[in-house]
Amino acid sequence: MLIQKPAMPGVAPQRVPIVELRNIHVAFGGVRAVAGVTLDLYPGEVVGVVGGNGAGKTTLMRTLSGARPPDSGQIFVNGQPVTIGNPRDAKALGIETIYQTLALADNLDAPANVFLGREVTSAATLNDAAMESATRKVIGRLNPNFKNFKTPVLRLSGGQRQAVAIARAIHFNARALIMDEPTAALGPAETAQVHALIRQLKSEGIGIFLVSHDIHDVFDLSERISVMYHGKLVGTVNKNDVTTDEVLGMIILGKPPTKLTQQELAELHG
Amino acid sequence: MGATVPGEASAEGAPARSFLTTISSALAPVTGVVRSLEIDTRMLGMIGALIVIWVSFNIVSGGTFLTARNLWNLSVQSASIAIMATGMVLVIVSRNIDLSVGSMLGFLGYTMAMFQAVWIPQSLGLGFEQPFTWVLTLVIGIALGAAIGGLQGFIVAYGGVPSFIVTLGGLLVWRGLIFRYAQGQTIAPLDTTFQMLGGGTVGTRVGALGEWPSWTLGVVMCVAIVYVMISSRRRRRRYAFPVRAIWAELLVGAVTCGAVLGIVLVANSYPLPVNVAIQYAEEHGIAIPPGGLFIPTGVAFPVVIMLIVTLVVTFLATRRRFGRYVYAIGGNPDAAALAGINVRRTIMLTFALMGSLAAVSAAVQTARLNAAVTNLGVQNELDVISAAVIGGTSFSGGIGTVPGAILGAVVMQSLRSGMVLLLVDSPTQDIVVGIVLVAAVGLDAVVRRRVN
Ligand SMILES: Nc1ncnc2c1ncn2[C@@H]1O[C@H](COP(=O)(O)OP(=O)(O)OP(=O)(O)O)[C@@H](O)[C@H]1O
Ligand SMILES: [Mg+2]
């Protein structure tokens, strides 16, 4: 019942994962935010990463983004060991991130944010027109009603800001995407659009780590679900093998489904 | 307010609201025009304020404010503060501050004076008045400015010490160094060519462009402005983006070029002093006409330097990655770092730029005085920061423009020079400038809250 390695129909087991995190540790002072977590991600697969508040999901993902390198542990990309010391390293490896905080420069407009750190230049000067044109195309995929390409993103709605953050992650041909609560600020229509996008990216062979608190979204979109509890990995399960209640039990009680008693499961609804 | 009867509240509130609506509906065509012109409304407000200040001073002073002579002097006095204000914009935009610019200016001015008056001629034995003295002095001064500014920036960016503290220390250290090594001495005279950078006169040499070069400069700038406007319009067209209405484009172009040529006209309406003109006429064998000799002074070199600095810093701020990163860091330092920007290096560079601009201003000020004195640049940091802030730079970071800071410097200098004309004493000037500074920022905050 508990699946440690992917053996799903349609995914050949011998395929090399795009990303592998092995035995990752991160501590902040005395707080062991991530303690020995191992995860992998295959092309064209969505792995849901779930857990209670403060479980360490964001911290784990940030080691892969280069935002906060791990204290110990190894990262493999396409089977090769790599060192991700900063966000540029991650991007160079084709790993893009949509941060939980969005990480937008509020005073800049959408094109400047999408291309931040990777500006298009011609004759050593910024080519704003080219960047705006590309931004219009990529945001058009997410939100056809988006019109404010010249206003600071500060003045955009929460959903529009999220569209900018997503656009930035998908524009540069990512091979692996980290989405840390990408639909937290979105209305139903926009959420549906992001779900459609996730499915499309998946079909293009991109691997996605989807961090979310919405257990139904996670069940909807992902093949496998990894559950974290107090910095540790409770387990990674194939979504077809578990019920939402069992995953809830893993999140709340920090025990794999095999160790959950009927009584504990019943109390979840208490 | 909580205790007010609803009836009363509406009786008071309704007329007030309808008054506001009346105003905003009356202004609707104006705001429409402003929108199609796509000009920063803040910039427009500052130009309006400047016009009001100028016209008021002119009326109160009985017509002595808006004279070629006064405006020419105003331009020279604004230049050295404006030069530094362009760099201060970038420092403040990236959420830092540089309190040391006045002391750096003093230190650099003193060093440049030593260089041309003592080290080159005596220590190196090359003698006075070499043709290369001024360039060498300037280049070394700017390099030294970049180095000491960069050092402060290094401590801020890599050492993690807040810029307020580092530059407060710098304010004391650089000033202290001058007193220590100058021991109260004034270093003078300076190289005569170097003196031209200050806009003064030495014999028949004048620190200004003269008539035809001034017109040439004006025309070149107009052509450049038109070229930039056309090429950016073309670019947007090529991508089928919305562009400004053609009438708006023409109006903006005409007003900008008109302003440039107007400045040249004013500078050329200011004659050389009589004795200089007579000596000049004698040297060049010009007959002195019966009505007296009128030789136009033209645009002063400090103003030319300011224009060059403005162009360079505006280019860095708006067209280069460096500037984009400075604004991104000011908007959200974490986001900038996550985008892969080298935040530390960028911040260090803003301080290095600030230091080199302090050197340029130091050259202008020492050249104008024809001496380096120990209190050169004292309190300049306050004027420079005020200019940037009046010009719309926000202390919360991420917001501010170079042209705004230039206008801010001109507004401040206009207030001071107008009050001098009206024989207002210097403490009162400080009081007025202080109040204007706070009022300008307060008014801006109120307007912004309304708009958002
Ligand atoms: N920069 C930091 N400094 C100190 N402690 C931190 C820092 N970031 C995270 N932590 C701690 O690490 C632990 C894990 O935090 P993390 O943000 O990874 O949780 P999360 O699973 O993403 O939670 P949420 O669902 O609320 O987003 C928490 O105890 C948190 O307090
Ligand atoms: Mg989180």
Side-chain angles (χ1 to χ4, degrees):
Chain A
M1 191 160 156
L2 185 67
I3 310 291
Q4 292 297 352
K5 283 281 165 196
M8 303 166 307
V11 177
Q14 69 271 27
R15 282 172 74 186
V16 185
I18 320 176
V19 171
E20 240 185 302
L21 296 164
R22 271 196 213 155
N23 201 20
I24 301 289
H25 287 263
V26 182
F28 297 104
V31 182
R32 295 176 49 152
V34 175
V37 174
T38 297
L39 275 190
D40 54 11
L41 179 68
Y42 285 79
E45 169 189 50
V46 177
V47 171
V49 179
V50 298
N53 289 125
K57 308 180 292 293
T58 297
T59 307
L60 177 66
M61 290 299 128
R62 284 167 68 94
T63 62
L64 185 55
S65 311
R68 167 58 161 96
D71 298 335
S72 66
Q74 289 162 298
I75 300 177
F76 294 80
V77 171
N78 291 326
Q80 302 298 314
V82 294
T83 313
I84 300 180
N86 58 49
R88 254 168 302 163
D89 292 347
K91 289 172 197 210
L93 291 165
I95 301 165
E96 296 284 340
T97 310
I98 299 154
Y99 292 97
Q100 190 169 8
T101 55
L102 301 187
L104 298 174
D106 287 328
N107 55 332
L108 301 182
D109 59 16
N113 268 291
V114 168
F115 284 89
L116 195 57
R118 294 184 277 206
E119 289 76 8
V120 178
T121 56
S122 44
T125 61
L126 297 173
N127 187 343
D128 282 320
M131 290 190 268
E132 185 179 333
S133 164
T135 303
R136 280 173 187 266
K137 276 192 204 111
V138 62
I139 291 190
R141 267 175 82 180
L142 298 163
N143 180 352
N145 300 320
F146 194 105
K147 295 262 150 39
N148 325 53
F149 290 94
K150 284 281 183 197
T151 38
V153 297
L154 176 72
R155 287 200 227 124
L156 302 183
S157 75
Q160 291 171 326
R161 290 161 55 81
Q162 210 135 23
V164 176
I166 296 175
R168 168 165 67 191
I170 62 173
H171 179 65
F172 297 92
N173 301 319
R175 286 185 300 161
L177 258 181
I178 301 165
M179 297 181 145
D180 199 345
E181 315 219 10
T183 56
L186 299 186
E190 289 78 6
T191 301
Q193 226 143 13
V194 170
H195 286 188
L197 175 79
I198 290 175
R199 292 199 178 90
Q200 190 193 335
L201 293 170
K202 193 160 85 168
S203 72
E204 290 168 12
I206 295 169
I208 299 172
F209 277 127
L210 175 66
V211 180
S212 177
H213 283 293
D214 190 323
I215 203 83
H216 298 288
D217 281 1
V218 172
F219 261 79
D220 240 16
L221 294 165
S222 41
E223 276 73 42
R224 292 185 296 145
I225 301 170
S226 294
V227 184
M228 289 186 70
Y229 182 82
H230 292 329
K232 294 208 170 70
L233 186 71
V234 180
T236 298
V237 293
N238 190 322
K239 79 144 179 233
N240 295 323
D241 299 341
V242 288
T243 63
T244 50
D245 276 357
E246 284 170 325
V247 173
L248 268 179
M250 294 169 81
I251 294 171
I252 296 167
L253 301 167
K255 291 182 187 173
T258 44
K259 298 210 176 125
L260 286 170
T261 63
Q262 283 307 317
Q263 194 197 345
E264 282 172 331
L265 278 176
E267 276 171 5
L268 286 175
H269 296 283
Chain B
M1 268 323 277
T4 336
V5 188
E8 272 180 24
S10 68
E12 279 171 14
R17 202 167 305 128
S18 74
F19 176 67
L20 270 184
T21 355
T22 319
I23 287 203
S24 55
S25 61
L27 284 177
V30 179
T31 48
V33 168
V34 169
R35 199 162 302 140
S36 31
L37 288 175
E38 290 176 25
I39 316 174
D40 188 0
T41 41
R42 155 122 213 169
M43 203 74 183
L44 220 53
M46 285 205 9
I47 293 171
L50 191 61
I51 291 172
V52 169
I53 290 170
W54 283 14
V55 170
S56 318
F57 272 128
N58 198 45
I59 294 169
V60 178
S61 68
T64 47
F65 190 86
L66 291 179
T67 56
R69 175 197 173 78
N70 192 53
L71 291 177
W72 193 90
N73 283 321
L74 179 65
S75 74
V76 174
Q77 287 155 1
S78 307
S80 101
I81 297 299
I83 288 167
M84 289 190 282
T86 61
M88 190 61 83
V89 169
L90 297 187
V91 170
I92 299 179
V93 161
S94 67
R95 301 195 181 185
N96 286 297
I97 187 76
D98 193 338
L99 299 172
S100 71
V101 291
S103 294
M104 278 202 290
L105 185 148
F107 177 75
L108 293 163
Y110 184 80
T111 311
M112 282 191 271
M114 283 295 281
F115 202 75
Q116 59 190 288
V118 182
W119 295 331
I120 292 184
Q122 293 168 22
S123 309
L124 294 178
L126 295 172
F128 291 95
E129 294 296 321
Q130 293 290 347
F132 57 80
T133 301
W134 74 275
V135 205
L136 198 60
T137 305
L138 195 59
V139 167
I140 288 183
I142 290 174
L144 183 64
I148 66 177
L151 172 67
Q152 297 188 143
F154 179 82
I155 299 171
V156 171
Y158 293 88
V161 187
S163 56
F164 190 96
I165 304 298
V166 172
T167 59
L168 185 61
L171 179 143
L172 297 168
V173 168
W174 309 123
R175 183 67 60 194
L177 278 175
I178 309 170
F179 278 103
R180 188 151 186 93
Y181 292 107
Q183 314 215 313
Q185 269 184 322
T186 293
I187 298 171
L190 304 183
D191 181 77
T192 50
T193 313
F194 187 82
Q195 282 182 52
M196 296 296 102
L197 298 176
T201 51
V202 181
T204 56
R205 294 168 75 191
V206 183
L209 279 179
E211 187 174 17
W212 291 110
S214 294
W215 282 121
T216 312
L217 175 73
V219 170
V220 167
M221 282 183 59
C222 283
V223 170
I225 289 165
V226 171
Y227 173 78
V228 168
M229 286 179 75
I230 291 177
S231 66
S232 85
R233 192 181 171 86
R234 279 235 181 96
R235 217 181 222 185
R236 291 191 64 79
R237 269 253 146 94
R238 188 155 358 112
Y239 287 99
F241 295 161
V243 289
R244 224 165 13 193
I246 193 79
W247 66 265
E249 205 87 70
L250 289 174
L251 185 64
V252 170
V255 169
T256 325
C257 286
V260 168
L261 296 176
I263 290 169
V264 174
L265 182 66
V266 169
N268 277 341
S269 309
Y270 178 48
L272 289 181
V274 180
N275 53 341
V276 177
I278 290 172
Q279 211 181 332
Y280 183 89
E282 279 169 3
E283 277 179 18
H284 290 78
I286 303 169
I288 298 175
L293 192 59
F294 186 99
I295 302 179
T297 308
V299 180
F301 284 154
V303 177
V304 175
I305 295 171
M306 184 198 79
L307 287 175
I308 295 169
V309 165
T310 306
L311 282 181
V312 170
V313 181
T314 305
F315 176 75
L316 288 176
T318 62
R319 306 297 335 137
R320 298 274 297 174
R321 284 193 169 143
F322 165 71
R324 176 70 41 99
Y325 295 170
V326 168
Y327 282 84
I329 291 167
N332 186 346
D334 296 332
L338 291 176
I341 292 172
N342 192 336
V343 174
R344 290 174 168 174
R345 182 169 160 271
T346 308
I347 291 201
M348 187 177 78
L349 286 177
T350 62
F351 280 94
L353 178 66
M354 187 69 251
S356 55
L357 293 174
V360 175
S361 284
V364 169
Q365 288 197 21
T366 47
R368 183 135 147 263
L369 279 176
N370 185 20
V373 292
T374 46
N375 68 350
L376 188 78
V378 165
Q379 289 199 0
N380 269 193
E381 60 280 350
L382 302 182
D383 285 346
V384 171
I385 293 168
S386 306
V389 168
I390 290 179
T393 308
S394 159
F395 265 102
S396 47
I399 295 170
T401 64
V402 171
I406 301 281
L407 264 182
V410 175
V411 165
M412 283 233 324
Q413 199 51 53
S414 299
L415 283 174
R416 282 206 190 271
S417 118
M419 287 189 285
V420 168
L421 269 186
L422 300 179
L423 305 176
V424 175
D425 57 18
S426 142
T428 316
Q429 288 180 31
D430 283 346
I431 294 171
V432 172
V433 171
I435 292 173
V436 167
L437 174 66
V438 176
V441 176
L443 189 70
D444 188 50
V446 170
V447 171
R448 245 171 242 220
R449 225 171 295 142
R450 270 273 151 74
V451 169
N452 293 336

